[in-house]
Each structure stands twice: as C-alpha cells, then as structure tokens.
Amino acid sequence: ASRGLAEPPTGGELSAAIWAFLRKQGRPVTFKEIVAASGSSDRAAYCRIFRWLELGHLVRLPAEPARFLMTDEARLVLE
C-alpha cells in the first residue's frame, strides 16, 4: 500500500543527493558507501538515514557492516 509520497521526505541538497543515490542503487548499501557518494559528514548522513529508517523508507539488513535498502514504496518517490 502506497503512502502517497510524492517527494523525498526531507528537503535540502544533501537529503536529495542521498535519496537519489539510494534510489539508483537497487541493492543494499553500506553507510560508508552512502557517505562517500554524498560527500557528507558521517553525522549528517546518519541523521537522514536514521530518520528514514524510523519513517519506514529504508530497512536495515542484519549484516556486518550494516546495509541499508530503500523500500519499494520509497523508490517510487521522484528525486
């Protein structure tokens, strides 16, 4: 069931960059990959990832290192 999302759940250039990266991957990615792709600080990226996990836009897979995957619903949201 769609939540009716029409845009990324947070605004700003960094959020848009991380969101676009996650959408394009289509596979689980590590936190290190997210930081490298966005050029952000660890803390800035973590805040967004944590928020999106809480909102259900991402899932954390039980792996070492942890991997994150965008939900199918969230993937439909445009950049």
Side-chain angles (χ1 to χ4, degrees):
S2 176
R3 293 188 182 132
L5 299 173
E7 59 187 54
T10 57
E13 208 172 294
L14 178 58
S15 293
I18 294 173
W19 190 265
F21 171 73
L22 291 168
R23 272 190 81 229
K24 290 175 185 167
Q25 294 311 300
R27 64 172 176 82
V29 295
T30 64
F31 183 72
K32 187 175 182 178
E33 289 176 294
I34 294 167
V35 170
S38 66
S40 69
S41 69
D42 286 0
R43 180 166 173 75
Y46 177 81
C47 289
R48 282 147 183 91
I49 297 305
F50 184 77
R51 185 177 322 126
W52 295 340
L53 284 167
E54 284 192 328
L55 292 171
H57 302 311
L58 300 179
V59 293
R60 181 180 174 168
L61 303 176
E64 281 299 324
R67 287 178 168 66
F68 302 91
L69 182 64
M70 187 173 268
T71 65
D72 289 339
E73 281 181 348
R75 193 173 307 287
L76 297 174
V77 176
L78 300 175
E79 296 174 31

